[in-house]
Amino acid sequence: MTMHKTTTHGVAKDAATAHDVTTDAATALGIRQRAETFARQLVRFAWLQARCCAFAVALLGGMAVSTLLPSLPVTRYDLLLAYGVLLTAVGFLLGWETRREVAVVAACHVLGLAFEMVKVRVGSWSYPEPGLAKIAGVPLYGGFMYAAVGSYVCRARRLLDLAVTGYRARATAALAVLLYLNFLTHHWLPDLRLPLGALLLAATAGTWVHYTVVEHRHRMPLALGFTLIGFFLWLAENIATYLGAWRYPYQLHGWEPVSVSKWVSWALLISVTFVICGTGRHDGAPGRV
């Protein structure tokens, strides 16, 4: 009787051990599968982001190459203008940009040039090199840097299948306009970027951006999206000023990093581009574009 009980206990113990081993193996397999899925999605997301940034990367690449060119009869600013026009044309002809996206890029270019003219006039920054295609001290290629932001948002909408829920279109658009005007008028009038930014944060509270990566649907708060885009625009501005695309007053005698406060400015200004790019896409669901 005692031997039988001992044998039964041993069998039960072995079965429990086997179950634990099986459970541990299943857990390890699940963790590995999730890690592999995450890695695949991360790589795919990075690739999609690179495609979204194609225009911006090509533009910065052109700026970098232009610093290596020998002396030419055409000024660097004018060459960059021709290069920007060529990039836009090639992108459209190859189907990288739709007709509507080209129109959005053009609108961002015009708004950017107007912004630049005011900022250069008040001395916020300058374009010290010569150029024939300049208006009020601003080379026409300067608008392409804003156009690149518009291209990114448009391509992200298409390539990531973006959809926005809980979007307060009128409030966001109104605040985007006020922010754009404030960045122009704060040299003479009180600077309202902080209260306007707080209102924008309130207007976008509960607004989610949904996007697809490898057939998996994800989402993030719209305000977080603005913040992340603003950060990468700040990085791009550091690269552009290093390449001599334009100069802040404190960079005229040698390059210095762009102030981190510009990150906040870009995070707020991206709302203008988002409104321009988003007004052309709606579906029937309330609060969704």
Side-chain angles (χ1 to χ4, degrees):
M1 180 69 68
T2 303
M3 183 179 297
H4 176 71
K5 287 183 178 180
T6 302
T7 303
T8 303
H9 177 72
V11 171
K13 184 176 180 181
D14 290 343
T17 301
H19 178 269
D20 291 342
V21 171
T22 302
T23 301
D24 291 344
T27 301
L29 179 62
I31 293 174
R32 187 178 68 183
Q33 289 176 338
R34 286 194 294 271
E36 290 175 352
T37 299
F38 175 77
R40 284 197 302 271
Q41 291 193 48
L42 187 62
V43 170
R44 178 63 176 171
F45 181 72
W47 170 240
L48 289 172
Q49 286 294 317
R51 290 177 62 189
C52 294
C53 295
F55 187 94
V57 171
L59 189 64
L60 286 174
M63 291 178 185
V65 170
S66 70
T67 63
L68 305 175
L69 295 176
S71 180
L72 297 172
V74 181
T75 68
R76 189 165 77 102
Y77 287 168
D78 294 331
L79 277 176
L80 287 172
L81 171 61
Y83 177 66
V85 173
L86 180 63
L87 274 181
T88 305
V90 169
F92 176 69
L93 292 174
L94 293 180
W96 296 345
E97 308 274 3
T98 66
R99 191 180 299 275
R100 178 185 174 276
E101 288 169 354
V102 171
V104 169
V105 165
C108 291
H109 190 121
V110 171
L111 286 174
L113 277 179
F115 190 82
E116 292 283 309
M117 288 176 191
V118 173
K119 290 297 187 177
V120 168
R121 180 175 181 137
V122 299
S124 296
W125 54 79
S126 64
Y127 293 87
E129 297 179 30
L132 294 176
K134 267 187 170 184
I135 300 177
V138 179
L140 295 182
Y141 94 85
F144 277 110
M145 289 168 283
Y146 299 87
V149 180
S151 173
Y152 167 81
V153 176
C154 285
R155 289 175 64 79
R157 276 186 170 274
R158 178 159 44 87
L159 295 175
L160 292 168
D161 189 25
L162 294 190
V164 185
T165 55
Y167 181 52
R168 302 171 182 87
R170 292 182 180 178
T172 305
L175 288 167
V177 171
L178 291 174
L179 281 163
Y180 178 83
L181 293 176
N182 179 77
F183 277 108
L184 297 177
T185 61
H186 77 87
H187 301 285
W188 307 282
L189 300 175
D191 188 354
L192 301 176
R193 77 183 69 186
L194 291 181
L196 287 174
L199 288 173
L200 181 64
L201 190 62
T204 56
T207 304
W208 292 88
V209 179
H210 303 258
Y211 58 98
T212 302
V213 181
V214 195
E215 298 181 356
H216 291 269
R217 203 69 173 151
H218 305 273
R219 69 174 188 169
M220 74 165 63
L222 179 60
L224 176 59
F226 286 173
T227 303
L228 292 174
I229 294 173
F231 173 74
F232 285 104
L233 287 173
W234 173 74
L235 287 181
E237 190 173 21
N238 275 280
I239 296 171
T241 53
Y242 181 79
L243 295 172
W246 66 91
R247 288 278 190 268
Y248 285 100
Y250 53 84
Q251 295 174 323
L252 291 175
H253 302 293
W255 184 82
E256 296 180 27
V258 176
S259 170
V260 179
S261 65
K262 298 297 181 184
W263 177 3
V264 178
S265 299
W266 278 116
L268 295 174
L269 273 175
I270 191 62
S271 63
V272 178
T273 307
F274 185 83
V275 168
I276 295 172
C277 294
T279 52
R281 180 179 176 187
H282 298 271
D283 65 16
R288 178 184 170 96
V289 300

